[in-house]
Amino acid sequence: MNFLLPKTRYITSVSKISTSFLLKNIQSTEEALSKLEIATATKIANNPFIVTPEAWITSLSSVENNNVDIIKLNPDIFRTSPRLDLLHRNITWQLNYRNLQLTKQLTRGEMPGGGRKPWPQKKVGRAHVGSIRSPQFYKGGFAHGVRGPRTWFYMLPDAIRLKGLCVALTIKHSQNDLVIVDDFSSLKSDDKQFMYDIAEARNWGYSALFVNENAEVAENLVKATEDIPSFNIMPVYGLNCFSIMKHDTLIISRDALIKLEERILYHFNRSESLQKKYKYKDIKDKILKEGSGENHPEFAPFV
């Protein structure tokens, strides 16, 4: 089987060159996404070693599992190598970058009192002391104490975050913990017992994460899950590795899945300048507006 390896490498290199060529000098995001779909389809068609993953599209109209359609998934997202090291780096980053230490221990100069010398310098047989707020005294200052505020914030490279997200999605799909729903509005009841019955009948496990295409979620789904602590709802632009791995089952709508694939492929193949100051030039306006465009359909942030 060694004679097949050069063919695989050749096809992969050609697909990368064609993708970079298609994304050169693009005018809009819609044009980039359409060209990305063409490049991905060409890559899948020319490579016999890539199997297109598929998944059932189910409905929440009944307690029993009701499959209505089959959808093809992108192999670059749902068939990546299970790099657990990248997944670990993403989860560690998410747990550490939000930590903030506000403790501040006062030094001898910042403690109140202690301005007078407690006893003479000599002829008393005691150690030379200039203040009762020295570190060796009770209620004295700290010599090498904690000096907050301190933060552990740092940023992972974009490629590591995107790859970790694809690894998490691949793991969920391969373990049959990825559920694709046609629409969350198909949930006919807002009773939490009905949601419990669905989770038990379909083997969702203890916790579930519902991912919608935007922040406007169906009313029945909100009322059915608001009293269940282990069932959470999240928009697609907030999807992250920690939330995916924290829940037993990932339940995503069809529109959210399409939007997620488009954004991941766009960031995978985006053309960036080598200079760091021009790295995010296409979302400069959004950064200057300080989050006013969180629901922007094209440049929503990913974590």
Side-chain angles (χ1 to χ4, degrees):
M1 297 297 292
N2 294 332
F3 66 95
L4 295 177
L5 294 179
K7 182 179 179 181
T8 306
R9 294 175 182 173
Y10 173 76
I11 293 174
T12 305
S13 60
V14 170
S15 63
K16 290 183 178 179
I17 294 174
S18 61
T19 304
S20 60
F21 175 76
L22 287 173
L23 291 179
K24 191 175 182 180
N25 298 326
I26 58 176
Q27 300 296 330
S28 62
T29 306
E30 291 78 6
E31 182 182 356
L33 292 176
S34 61
K35 292 183 177 181
L36 279 175
E37 293 177 358
I38 297 174
T40 305
T42 305
K43 179 180 178 180
I44 296 174
N46 294 336
N47 196 338
F49 303 100
I50 296 180
V51 179
T52 304
E54 297 179 345
W56 285 104
I57 298 179
T58 184
S59 177
L60 300 179
S61 57
S62 61
V63 176
E64 293 77 14
N65 196 5
N66 184 17
N67 297 328
V68 296
D69 198 1
I70 295 179
I71 186 173
K72 292 185 178 181
L73 306 176
N74 193 289
D76 292 336
I77 301 175
F78 292 93
R79 276 297 180 271
T80 60
S81 301
R83 292 285 302 275
L84 299 183
D85 57 329
L86 298 182
L87 188 62
H88 177 266
R89 288 182 62 182
N90 276 269
I91 295 177
T92 305
W93 167 66
Q94 287 188 249
L95 293 177
N96 290 339
Y97 81 87
R98 59 187 178 183
N99 293 339
L100 178 64
Q101 186 183 64
L102 298 177
T103 304
K104 181 180 180 181
Q105 295 177 328
L106 302 181
T107 61
R108 57 175 290 175
E110 296 171 342
M111 293 290 291
R116 182 178 66 87
K117 191 175 179 66
W119 50 76
Q121 180 80 357
K122 297 184 178 181
K123 299 182 180 180
V124 292
R126 306 186 69 175
H128 299 172
V129 177
S131 173
I132 60 173
R133 297 300 179 228
S134 297
Q136 68 267 27
F137 281 94
Y138 173 67
K139 294 186 178 180
F142 291 87
H144 302 286
V146 180
R147 303 291 293 178
R150 179 189 175 188
T151 178
W152 283 264
F153 177 82
Y154 67 98
M155 288 298 295
L156 278 181
D158 294 351
I160 302 298
R161 286 185 284 165
L162 286 171
K163 191 68 175 179
L165 185 61
C166 293
V167 169
L169 293 173
T170 301
I171 291 175
K172 284 297 182 182
H173 180 258
S174 61
Q175 294 179 347
N176 200 20
D177 291 332
L178 177 66
V179 179
I180 303 175
V181 182
D182 55 351
D183 194 0
F184 288 135
S185 60
S186 62
L187 186 66
K188 63 179 183 180
S189 176
D190 59 354
D191 186 14
K192 70 174 183 178
Q193 186 60 41
F194 183 73
M195 182 61 67
Y196 275 130
D197 296 339
I198 293 179
E200 184 177 358
R202 304 187 184 188
N203 196 20
W204 284 357
Y206 173 75
S207 58
L209 178 64
F210 297 86
V211 181
N212 196 36
E213 62 269 15
N214 49 40
E216 298 178 0
V217 191
E219 184 178 358
N220 287 344
L221 181 62
V222 175
K223 292 183 178 180
T225 58
E226 62 182 358
D227 293 333
I228 307 177
S230 59
F231 283 18
N232 298 311
I233 306 174
M234 178 181 294
V236 68
Y237 56 79
L239 193 62
N240 56 85
C241 296
F242 179 77
S243 299
I244 293 176
M245 303 309 298
K246 179 181 178 181
H247 297 82
D248 295 335
T249 305
L250 177 64
I251 306 165
I252 184 171
S253 64
R254 186 209 303 257
D255 296 337
L257 177 65
I258 296 175
K259 188 177 294 186
L260 178 64
E261 288 185 346
E262 290 178 353
R263 289 177 179 173
I264 290 180
L265 290 176
Y266 170 74
H267 286 288
F268 259 142
N269 300 275
R270 61 187 299 180
S271 56
E272 297 178 349
S273 174
L274 297 178
Q275 301 183 28
K276 291 185 177 180
K277 63 179 180 179
Y278 298 123
K279 185 175 182 180
Y280 297 102
K281 60 182 179 180
D282 52 348
I283 55 173
K284 180 180 178 181
D285 296 337
K286 176 182 175 299
I287 295 176
L288 293 178
K289 292 179 182 178
E290 296 182 354
S292 60
E294 289 292 332
N295 295 328
H296 198 283
E298 298 178 359
F299 304 117
F302 62 92
V303 181

